[in-house]
RNA sequence: GCGGGCGUGGUGGAAUUGGUAGACACGCAGGAUUUAGGUUCCUGUGGGGCAACCCGUGGGGGUUCAAGUCCCUCCGCCCGCACCA
């Protein structure tokens, strides 16, 4: 340091950051009191799963949340900014199986590690509200919610075909099956018939869909994904009479269609292999039974579905066409009909549905076009291999002929509603949703036990409130596949709460998405004796700003929206939508490094040389050259992670926080690079030098006389930046706010010490501008801000200082410089009084040499003056 | 297949929503300071041209006094859903 030319010491983040973190802790600065009278603001980042260690990629969304929290605190709000742990789940059990550690110990150790790592980052979190979802104090309340939902009819137990993950040996929700594979294990998912617990989310299908329109501070993308997932479609349920009923005796076959306008083009009926009539027929037909068996084995992956041939089996049954006298339609079992949607049966209209057309062509069924492009020649219009799906003109359909598709839909609906078949109208209007009920049963240990006791006499009996929580047993083994709780020798044994006879505890635990569906409500009163303190929850909720990854666009966010409604119905909350504002942040990505033998290497073990295309990477230990791979999300598996300690130890948390929000817009990915971190750190040091150099001048600043020109200019810059930065932070445009602060610092640093000594007003302006600058960087770089504040001799903590007010006087300008265009091209600039009239500006513009030159002596055709913006002379 | 988004210098990106394109940063080049490297400071940096100027926001076309921004069309990339009747 002695060789440093600069007289000031370098800023040492390691000691400074630790110091201020201690000060904040000692003062309990970020504790949030529910009784605080100030207006409330709830900012929340999606809480983490305690997987082991945190890497810097995890911390970007907490940094964003922290900037918002610190800013809103400075703006005078009582800010709730809590943190907890989404602590149940399979990885804990995997660790138990692999490393012989208890899931509980593994989880709580990880929490301790990760909490310490988060603390290094200096987040302004109210740690007094911390909880983990695996705390019995938390899941006890979750069990209470389950029982209340059960009592309210929002829980059902039913047999259903479920997605079975053969590796995790558990059931998965539809949302957890990605491309036919388990979302966590990656195993090919199988279909199994099991009795399961379900939350009746479908009860709210319409409401969940409608309310999306009210979520105006959610990204459009997420709203769209949820709309598609809920998947509403309007149509007609039509009852087709069997010519000869099947042996089950059903007189009619019910189908759902969104295209009743194509009814005259029907040429067959198709049943799902899982349809009861299919099963009935299979009893008497071994070949059909074999066909159904085959269908069940068919893969459910996207590829399997795409390449799967449309296949069917003729049951021999026929139904009567509802409106064509004497027309009979054959009934097939077909592999492409889903039991889960509609009624599990369809009518096939080959002309206007591609699947039906493929099927009809394969089995030689008639193809009758009933819609043609408007004005086409019906005699010349035919369909061979491409179904016609667009709107047009109805043909070959008796009383529908000539109508448009929407008109035909209405006409056929009215007609069928007024026909009776087997004692009921032939058709009824119906709305169907893709959304399925949420299966929450998991055959795993490390989850919230479902508080039910099965009794031979009384059935499934809720555990009485007084007996909650139903605790997970601690003595558990993981020596064989399947559900470990089920293998416990005694845990299952429990007497029926109703009749007292010996019963059996439910051994299923809840899907971990249940845990995260209401934690935001628990944070508002984490010590409450009931799941929520209703008053506190109503006060705080909805969350004003929720921040998390796009990967939760459907699962977590939809479940939370359902839970909030269910908690409303059961009296735990008085609102329906949990998150008023949602922001989906981009990830931190990093290049990957790979040895010739395929082994990934962590950035810390890699040395880089060269620039751009010539960059080379070497393994530090061996000196061997490595392959530099593409930018990828930081992940354990590719080892492209950087730990917070690596950064806080040398550069400091502020540098990391600043860098993560610089350059890239927050919704996009940011590339973590050493060069970028160093750049951010250089700025930290530049701030420090500027503050240190200004400190003596600031210390001497006094008086309140007339402002010099230089002082006014500096104040204008500061206030203009303040206004812009405030708006940027409120709009979460952190990268832009940072760019503005980059631009302001040279204005401050550029104040000449001697001039300022001679000009007291400039010294005062410098002092004020520095204060504002420090306050503006504080949300992103809180430690540096505190240290600068102290070095300038300011009172108290920046973290407790109100956000400065923009002084309108400094935003006003006496003169403005307007660009002057001739025929739309900029040719000159014009400086005029800011309140100059349009005529004055026009005259001044026309006198400019450049304007005259380009007008070439001709009079202008038109002059457009946009006040405060631009002048355009049209020649 | 259906739905949505994006395309701006060598790079990340900005552009007050139709009004000076390239703010700010990274990188690079030159210079100063330094025994040297790093640090720090200054200058330059979209392309072409000696210059006046010309060209320029994926390509083409259009609306407008004025287009990165609006409209049409084509190309490329990314994401989501996917046998939903």
């Amino acid at each position: 340091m002695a060789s440093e030319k600069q007289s000031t010491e370098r800023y040492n983040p390691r000691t400074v950051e630790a110091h201020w973190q201690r000060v904040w802790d000692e003062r309990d600065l970020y504790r949030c009191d529910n009784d605080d009278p100030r207006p409330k603001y709830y900012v929340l980042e999606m809480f983490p799963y305690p997987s082991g260690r945190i890497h810097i990629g995890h911390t970007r969304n907490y940094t964003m949340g922290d900037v918002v929290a610190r800013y809103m605190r400075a703006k005078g709000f009582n800010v709730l900014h809590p943190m907890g742990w989404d602590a149940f789940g399979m990885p804990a059990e995997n660790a138990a199986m692999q490393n012989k550690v208890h899931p509980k110990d593994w989880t709580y150790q990880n929490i301790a590690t990760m909490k310490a790592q988060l603390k290094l980052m200096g987040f302004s979190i109210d740690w007094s509200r911390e909880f983990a979802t695996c705390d019995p104090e938390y899941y006890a309340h979750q069990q209470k919610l389950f029982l209340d939902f059960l009592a309210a009819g929002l829980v059902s137990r039913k047999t259903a075909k479920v997605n079975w993950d053969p590796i995790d040996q558990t059931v998965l929700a539809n949302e957890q099956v990605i491309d036919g594979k388990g979302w966590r294990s990656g195993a090919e998912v199988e279909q199994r018939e099991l009795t399961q617990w379900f939350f009746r989310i479908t009860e709210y299908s319409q409401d969940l869909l409608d309310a999306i329109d009210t979520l105006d501070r959610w990204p459009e993308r997420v709203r769209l994904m949820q709309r598609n997932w809920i998947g509403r479609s309007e149509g007609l349920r039509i009852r087709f009479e069997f010519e000869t009923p099947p042996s089950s005796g059903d007189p009619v076959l019910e189908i759902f269609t969104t295209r009743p306008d194509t009814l005259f083009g029907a040429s067959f009926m198709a049943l799902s292999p899982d349809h009861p009539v299919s099963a009935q027929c299979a009893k008497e037909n071994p070949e059909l039974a074999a066909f159904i068996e085959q269908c069940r084995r068919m893969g459910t992956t996207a590829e399997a579905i795409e390449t799967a041939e449309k296949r069917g089996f003729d049951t021999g049954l026929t139904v009567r066409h509802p409106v064509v006298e004497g027309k009979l339609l054959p009934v097939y079992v077909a592999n492409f009909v889903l039991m889960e949607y509609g009624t599990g049966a369809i009518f096939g209209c080959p002309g206007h549905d591609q699947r039906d057309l493929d099927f009809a062509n394969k089995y030689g069924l008639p193809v009758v076009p009933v819609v043609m492009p408007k004005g086409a020649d019906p005699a010349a219009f035919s369909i061979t291999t491409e179904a016609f799906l667009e709107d047009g003109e109805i043909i070959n359909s008796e009383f529908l002929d000539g109508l448009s598709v929407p008109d035909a839909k209405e006409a056929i609906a009215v007609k069928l509603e007024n026909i009776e078949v087997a004692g009921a109208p032939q058709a009824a209007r119906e709305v169907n949703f893709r959304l399925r009920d949420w299966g929450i049963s998991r055959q795993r240990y490390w989850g919230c036990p479902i508080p039910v006791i099965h009794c031979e006499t009384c059935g499934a009996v809720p555990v009485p409130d007084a007996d909650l929580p139903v605790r997970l047993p601690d003595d558990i083994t993981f020596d064989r596949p399947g559900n470990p709780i089920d293998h416990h020798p005694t845990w299952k044994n429990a007497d029926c709460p109703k009749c007292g006879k010996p019963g059996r505890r439910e051994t299923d635990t809840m899907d971990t998405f249940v845990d995260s569906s209401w934690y935001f409500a628990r944070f508002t009163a984490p010590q409450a004796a009931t799941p929520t303190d209703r008053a506190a929850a109503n006060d705080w909720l909805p969350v004003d700003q929720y921040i998390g990854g796009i990967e939760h666009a459907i699962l977590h966010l939809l479940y939370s929206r359902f839970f909030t409604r269910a908690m409303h119905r059961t009296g735990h909350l008085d609102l329906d939508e949990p998150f008023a504002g949602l922001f989906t942040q981009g990830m931190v990505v990093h290049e990957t490094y790979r040895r010739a033998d395929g082994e990934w290497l962590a950035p810390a073990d890699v040395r880089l040389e060269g620039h751009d295309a010539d960059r080379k990477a070497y393994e530090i230990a061996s000196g061997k050259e490595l392959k530099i791979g593409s930018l990828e999300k930081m992940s354990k598996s590719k080892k492209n992670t950087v730990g917070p300690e690596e950064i806080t130890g040398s550069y400091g948390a502020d540098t990391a926080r600043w860098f993560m929000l610089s350059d890239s817009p927050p919704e996009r990915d940011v590339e973590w690079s050493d060069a970028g971190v160093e750049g951010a750190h250089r700025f930290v040091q530049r701030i420090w030098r500027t503050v240190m150099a200004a400190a003596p001048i600031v210390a001497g600043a006094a008086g309140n006389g007339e402002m010099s020109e230089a002082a006014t200019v500096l104040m204008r810059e500061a206030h203009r930046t303040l206004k812009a930065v405030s708006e940027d932070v409120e709009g979460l445009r952190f990268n832009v706010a940072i760019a503005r602060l980059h631009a302001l610092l040279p204005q401050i640093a550029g104040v000449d010490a001697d001039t300022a000594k001679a000009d007291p007003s400039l010294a005062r302006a410098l002092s004020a501008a520095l204060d504002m600058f420090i306050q503006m960087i504080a949300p992103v770089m809180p430690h540096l801000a505190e240290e600068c504040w102290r070095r300038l001799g300011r009172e108290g903590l920046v973290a407790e200082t109100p956000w400065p007010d923009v002084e309108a006087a400094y935003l006003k300008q006496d003169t403005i410089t307007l660009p002057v265009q001739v025929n739309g091209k900029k040719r000159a600039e014009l400086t005029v009084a800011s309140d100059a009239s349009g005529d004055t500006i026009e005259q001044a513009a026309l006198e400019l040499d450049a304007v005259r030159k380009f007008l070439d002596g001709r009079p202008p055709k038109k002059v457009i003056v946009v006040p405060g913006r631009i002048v355009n002379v049209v020649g």
Side-chain angles (χ1 to χ4, degrees):
Chain A
M1 284 295 147
S3 65
E4 285 269 350
K5 203 198 169 200
Q6 282 71 35
S7 54
T8 51
E9 72 207 277
R10 269 178 84 78
Y11 175 68
N12 181 344
R14 193 200 289 258
T15 52
V16 170
E17 291 186 349
H19 170 74
W20 291 109
Q21 286 170 17
R22 206 159 48 239
V23 170
W24 297 331
D25 265 0
E26 279 162 9
R27 300 208 191 176
D28 218 356
L29 208 60
Y30 305 121
R31 180 193 281 272
C32 162
D33 181 356
N34 282 356
D35 299 327
D36 193 308
R38 291 174 298 172
K40 291 179 161 55
Y41 191 87
Y42 188 176
V43 55
L44 181 67
E45 303 95 51
M46 291 181 185
F47 68 163
Y49 177 78
S51 57
R53 299 187 66 77
I54 272 184
H55 58 66
I56 209 82
H58 293 124
T59 64
R60 190 172 182 219
N61 65 333
Y62 308 133
T63 303
M64 291 176 191
D66 199 47
V67 170
V68 172
R70 287 177 181 275
Y71 173 77
M72 293 307 285
R73 237 180 248 121
K75 289 289 273 186
F77 286 83
N78 182 30
V79 173
L80 175 55
H81 185 216
M83 179 60 72
W85 308 94
D86 190 12
F88 274 135
M90 276 305 292
E93 287 189 53
N94 292 337
M97 287 181 259
Q98 281 157 29
N99 309 324
K100 308 261 182 274
V101 269
H102 195 281
K104 190 196 228 170
D105 298 335
W106 183 87
T107 302
Y108 282 104
Q109 270 163 27
N110 288 347
I111 288 174
T113 307
M114 291 169 71
K115 184 177 176 180
Q117 289 183 296
L118 282 183
K119 288 209 154 193
L120 287 175
M121 297 295 293
F123 297 132
S124 62
I125 288 165
D126 178 0
W127 285 103
S128 75
R129 294 177 188 246
E130 176 191 8
F131 58 77
T133 55
C134 62
D135 298 340
E137 297 75 36
Y138 181 79
Y139 71 69
H141 298 294
Q142 188 163 306
Q143 291 172 341
K144 169 66 176 156
L145 289 176
F146 176 93
L147 295 176
D148 286 354
F149 291 2
L150 183 64
L154 291 169
V155 178
S156 63
R157 186 168 154 80
K158 57 190 179 187
T159 309
K161 206 161 85 169
V162 295
N163 306 300
W164 178 259
D165 185 319
I167 289 190
D168 285 351
Q169 300 237 342
T170 188
V171 163
L172 299 176
N174 287 339
E175 291 86 337
Q176 293 165 343
V177 180
I178 296 149
D179 280 347
K181 299 192 173 74
W183 72 294
R184 195 175 270 286
S185 72
E188 193 95 353
V189 168
E190 298 166 8
Q191 303 297 306
R192 284 202 185 176
E193 195 83 21
L194 285 178
T195 305
Q196 302 283 316
W197 291 98
F198 287 86
F199 281 142
R200 300 184 54 191
I201 189 171
T202 54
E203 183 131 327
Y204 292 97
S205 296
Q206 187 68 56
D207 186 43
L208 288 166
L209 182 69
D210 291 342
I212 291 172
D213 293 336
T214 69
L215 302 173
D216 54 345
R217 290 205 295 122
W218 280 40
E220 188 50 43
R221 184 154 71 122
V222 174
R223 304 203 300 172
L224 196 78
M225 282 164 74
Q226 292 219 349
R227 273 193 202 102
N228 291 341
W229 191 264
I230 294 167
R232 182 183 196 273
S233 49
E234 281 179 20
L236 220 50
R237 181 183 282 246
I238 306 179
R239 306 167 77 240
F240 285 76
E241 196 180 8
F242 282 111
E243 184 197 20
T244 313
S247 42
S248 61
D250 299 336
V252 295
L253 175 62
E254 288 195 303
I255 62 95
F256 173 74
T257 181
T258 57
R259 293 296 305 274
D261 54 298
T262 64
L263 188 59
F264 285 92
S267 57
F268 65 95
M269 308 299 288
L271 306 174
S272 164
D274 300 312
H275 195 278
V277 172
S278 307
Q280 191 61 239
C281 295
K283 277 186 198 161
E284 296 142 26
N285 187 338
E287 275 180 74
L288 176 57
F291 173 75
I292 290 172
E293 201 42 50
Q294 245 180 356
C295 293
R296 293 221 170 112
R297 279 202 302 272
M298 193 181 76
T300 52
T301 63
E303 303 90 300
I305 287 165
E306 199 140 307
T307 54
E309 208 184 351
K310 304 285 173 273
R311 296 178 56 218
F313 193 99
D314 192 347
T315 60
L317 295 167
T318 53
V319 297
R320 297 183 208 285
H321 192 284
V323 280
V324 182
E325 198 71 40
K327 182 169 178 180
L328 294 176
L329 301 168
V331 179
Y332 283 77
V333 175
N335 64 349
F336 63 93
V337 181
L338 304 174
M339 192 58 215
E340 296 81 47
Y341 190 79
T343 63
I346 60 164
F347 80 77
C349 176
H352 308 284
D353 182 291
Q354 193 58 45
R355 293 157 304 179
D356 294 350
L357 182 59
D358 294 346
F359 189 85
N361 284 341
K362 183 172 171 76
Y363 293 101
L365 296 159
V367 181
V368 182
V370 290
V371 189
M372 64 169 191
K374 204 151 181 65
D377 174 10
F381 183 67
S382 72
I383 286 163
T384 51
T385 57
E386 288 278 307
F388 180 72
L389 306 175
E390 280 137 71
D391 193 1
E393 187 180 342
I394 304 288
I395 50 171
N396 301 326
S397 300
E398 302 178 10
F399 61 93
L400 298 179
D401 283 353
L403 296 180
S404 69
V405 165
D407 290 348
K409 280 180 181 173
E410 181 57 28
I412 191 76
V414 170
K415 171 91 173 172
L416 297 182
E417 278 167 340
N418 291 300
I419 302 177
E420 283 247 329
V421 59
Q426 180 120 38
R429 292 167 206 252
E430 187 172 86
V431 171
N432 265 292
F433 296 92
R434 282 183 24 144
L435 186 65
R436 302 268 71 88
D437 276 335
W438 174 16
I440 59 154
S441 287
R442 298 292 181 271
Q443 292 68 46
R444 300 308 320 170
Y445 164 69
W446 196 232
C448 172
I450 293 174
V452 165
I453 293 165
H454 297 283
C455 167
E456 279 190 21
T457 319
C458 312
V461 181
V463 171
D465 289 356
D467 295 347
L468 296 183
V470 175
R471 283 174 186 272
L472 284 172
D474 281 335
D475 51 331
I476 200 91
T477 55
F478 295 92
D479 47 4
R480 49 194 159 135
N483 184 354
I485 314 188
D486 215 26
H487 305 149
H488 191 279
T490 56
W491 187 83
K492 273 184 288 193
N493 305 330
D495 294 338
C496 170
K498 227 185 224 170
C499 69
K501 278 191 263 180
R504 180 182 57 80
R505 266 190 206 290
E506 173 62 65
T507 57
D508 285 352
T509 52
M510 294 184 208
D511 179 6
T512 58
F513 277 98
V514 178
D515 311 336
S516 55
S517 292
W518 70 286
Y519 76 107
F520 47 87
R522 185 69 188 164
F523 274 141
T524 64
Q527 266 83 45
T530 46
T532 59
D533 171 333
R534 197 162 159 177
N538 289 337
D539 254 2
W540 282 114
L541 293 173
V543 175
D544 294 284
Q545 186 63 62
Y546 197 33
I547 303 175
I550 186 71
E551 67 272 20
H552 291 113
I554 297 171
L555 302 167
H556 163 59
L557 292 169
L558 193 60
Y559 293 154
S560 297
R561 297 181 63 215
F562 158 71
F563 239 78
T564 305
R565 284 165 171 76
M567 287 172 77
H568 188 176
R569 188 188 287 191
T570 50
H572 296 282
L573 293 174
D574 290 314
L575 75 162
D576 287 335
E577 286 297 337
F579 312 120
L582 172 70
F583 186 82
T584 52
Q585 93 283 355
M587 296 175 300
V588 179
V589 295
H590 197 290
E591 338 180 279
T592 50
Y593 308 105
R594 208 167 190 184
R595 255 187 348 223
D597 63 5
E599 191 69 20
W600 301 98
L601 263 90
D605 301 324
V606 175
R607 182 169 47 86
L608 292 166
E609 283 178 13
H611 290 285
D612 301 325
D614 302 326
R615 288 171 71 248
K616 296 239 161 70
Y618 301 92
E619 181 173 8
I620 292 172
S622 68
K624 280 192 196 135
E625 188 172 347
L626 301 166
K627 186 174 186 289
I628 300 179
S630 59
L631 294 172
E632 305 211 33
K633 178 187 178 178
M634 282 193 180
S635 75
K636 254 191 199 170
S637 62
K638 301 216 167 132
K639 290 200 185 160
N640 59 341
T641 60
V642 176
E645 312 70 0
E646 293 174 49
I647 302 305
T648 56
S650 45
Y651 297 106
D654 287 339
T655 294
R657 293 165 59 117
W658 187 263
F659 169 59
M660 277 189 289
L661 301 186
S662 305
D663 296 349
S664 284
E667 67 276 12
R668 279 196 225 169
D669 292 349
V670 62
E671 183 193 348
W672 187 271
S673 70
D674 290 347
V677 178
E678 280 158 19
H681 190 64
R682 274 202 294 276
F683 189 65
V684 167
Q685 294 293 355
R686 191 175 304 149
I687 293 171
W688 181 249
R689 281 195 308 274
T690 304
V691 171
M692 289 301 98
I697 306 168
V698 166
N704 55 1
E706 188 92 345
M707 293 273 271
S708 68
E709 179 61 20
T712 309
V713 167
L714 184 58
M715 290 306 280
R716 275 189 193 146
E717 291 298 329
H719 279 277
R720 227 175 277 160
T721 305
L722 174 65
K723 180 168 188 286
V725 165
S726 305
E727 288 166 1
D728 290 336
V729 170
E730 281 166 31
L732 309 181
R733 294 181 297 270
F734 306 115
N735 56 322
V736 186
I738 282 175
R740 295 190 207 282
L741 291 167
H742 263 289
L744 178 60
L745 186 63
Q747 307 283 332
I748 295 172
V751 173
D752 180 70
D754 294 333
T755 315
K757 273 175 204 156
D759 174 2
S761 73
L762 182 56
R764 287 198 308 277
L766 178 64
S767 176
L770 258 185
D771 280 0
M772 288 163 69
F773 182 79
I774 292 167
Q775 288 182 272
M776 283 190 274
I777 61 163
V780 188
M781 303 206 277
H783 312 86
L784 175 65
E786 294 294 0
E787 187 67 12
C788 291
W789 200 250
R790 188 175 68 90
R791 293 295 187 110
L792 289 180
R794 303 306 188 213
E795 293 284 311
L797 299 172
V798 183
E800 290 180 308
T801 306
W803 193 254
D805 289 319
V806 177
E807 287 176 38
Y810 290 117
L811 299 180
K812 275 198 251 148
Q813 286 175 289
D814 301 336
T815 60
I816 47 167
T817 300
L818 297 175
V820 179
Q821 297 180 330
V822 178
N823 292 328
K825 288 194 178 178
K826 187 195 162 191
R827 297 300 181 185
E829 284 185 346
L830 179 65
T831 301
V832 293
S834 53
D835 56 358
S837 70
D839 286 346
T840 315
I841 295 170
E842 181 172 333
Q843 286 312 313
L846 290 173
E847 279 160 28
L848 290 169
D849 289 344
V851 173
R852 285 186 166 161
K853 178 183 158 196
F854 282 95
L855 280 179
D856 206 17
R858 286 165 287 131
K861 284 186 191 141
K862 200 172 171 188
V863 180
I864 290 145
V865 178
V866 184
R869 279 284 163 79
I870 202 163
V871 180
N872 192 8
V873 179
V874 186

